[in-house]
Amino acid sequence: DIVMTQTPLSLPVTPGQPASISCKSTQSLLHSDGTTFLYWYLQKPGQPPQLLIYAVSNRFSGVPDRFSGSGSGTDFTLKISRVEAEDIGVYYCMQSIQLPYTFGQGTKLEIK
Amino acid sequence: EVQLVESGGSLVQPGRSLRLSCTASGFTFDDYAMSWFRQVPGKGLEWVGFIRSKAHGGTTEYAASVKGRFAISRDDSNSIAYLQMNSLKTEDTAVYYCVDGSLGYWGQGTLVTVSS
């Protein structure tokens, strides 16, 4: 199985400041068709996960542009340009290039 | 608007069976694979399995932890996906989520508790 490793696991951030989460996979997530199968989700307290980013850097419908994704191969980053109070929750990366789909452990973002 | 509504979660004894349903709306259900994920309360996310669209054979894939015990099926005429769970174990206790083929739309989840 592909192992997804996120850092940090806890991220205290002051509103208005930037935040960054790293996600590393044990195998390349690049498919032969050129797509990289890396997703970022945010799970707010008491809610199901919501998709933020797909294919490394594409924002899902309705996602604010303060969220951005980057990376390639096995090394990926989610950045929030200016954290807002509503961004609190647990962030997960996920790969779907190989079965079973696997997630990172989650990064809990909290407001300072 | 895409909506996915899970139902069927409950308290069940170990070794028993349960069937979850996921009723979809707002998209052409037949065209998409449908997935199930789960989450032990307070823990991380786990992929359970998916069913491909009929156009792609309607075949299924499962996580090793549920293979041989769980089965996913679909009723395209009513836009419903099912998760049949047999030989349930205490470690199957989780919130079960139905997810569309894009992996972008998730239901609110339904809680399955396996306990004697």
Side-chain angles (χ1 to χ4, degrees):
Chain A
D1 296 2
I2 295 177
V3 176
M4 308 293 286
T5 302
Q6 289 181 230
T7 54
L9 299 184
S10 178
L11 185 56
V13 183
T14 301
Q17 294 300 302
S20 178
I21 301 170
S22 169
C23 176
K24 296 182 190 296
S25 59
T26 53
Q27 297 178 40
S28 175
L29 305 185
L30 175 63
H31 192 272
S32 56
D33 70 1
T35 304
T36 300
F37 289 88
L38 186 280
Y39 300 76
W40 287 100
Y41 292 90
L42 164 59
Q43 187 171 31
K44 297 183 179 181
Q47 295 186 21
Q50 56 188 82
L51 179 63
L52 298 174
I53 302 286
Y54 63 94
V56 179
S57 59
N58 298 276
R59 275 188 299 277
F60 192 57
S61 174
V63 174
D65 60 8
R66 64 178 181 276
F67 291 94
S68 64
S70 62
S72 63
T74 62
D75 204 340
F76 307 95
T77 302
L78 175 71
K79 291 183 179 177
I80 311 173
S81 59
R82 293 173 304 280
V83 170
E84 298 187 4
E86 65 183 26
D87 299 336
I88 62 165
V90 181
Y91 290 77
Y92 295 96
C93 59
M94 186 194 81
Q95 66 81 22
S96 68
I97 194 170
Q98 182 186 103
L99 297 178
Y101 297 169
T102 48
F103 291 86
Q105 318 95 301
T107 296
K108 188 172 185 178
L109 186 147
E110 58 183 29
I111 299 297
K112 278 185 183 177
Chain B
E1 179 193 4
V2 173
Q3 285 198 322
L4 299 168
V5 179
E6 302 94 339
S7 60
S10 70
L11 170 64
V12 61
Q13 292 180 327
R16 304 298 290 264
S17 298
L18 197 64
R19 188 179 78 163
L20 306 183
S21 300
C22 169
T23 302
S25 61
F27 65 102
T28 307
F29 185 80
D30 319 30
D31 288 349
Y32 291 90
M34 293 298 296
S35 296
W36 288 91
F37 290 76
R38 67 184 181 182
Q39 184 175 37
V40 174
K43 301 297 185 183
L45 295 160
E46 180 185 16
W47 171 76
V48 172
F50 68 74
I51 184 167
R52 297 178 176 86
S53 66
K54 290 282 195 317
H56 289 89
T59 51
T60 52
E61 303 288 349
Y62 300 98
S65 57
V66 306
K67 196 169 186 177
R69 299 188 300 121
F70 288 14
I72 299 172
S73 60
R74 61 190 300 154
D75 174 358
D76 287 350
S77 61
N78 290 298
S79 300
I80 302 175
Y82 297 101
L83 178 63
Q84 177 69 42
M85 303 184 293
N86 301 325
S87 303
L88 281 161
K89 305 176 181 180
T90 54
E91 52 264 41
D92 295 320
T93 294
V95 175
Y96 285 75
Y97 295 103
C98 167
V99 182
D100 84 306
S102 74
L103 303 179
Y105 296 97
W106 293 54
Q108 288 296 311
T110 187
L111 177 63
V112 173
T113 303
V114 185
S115 175
S116 54

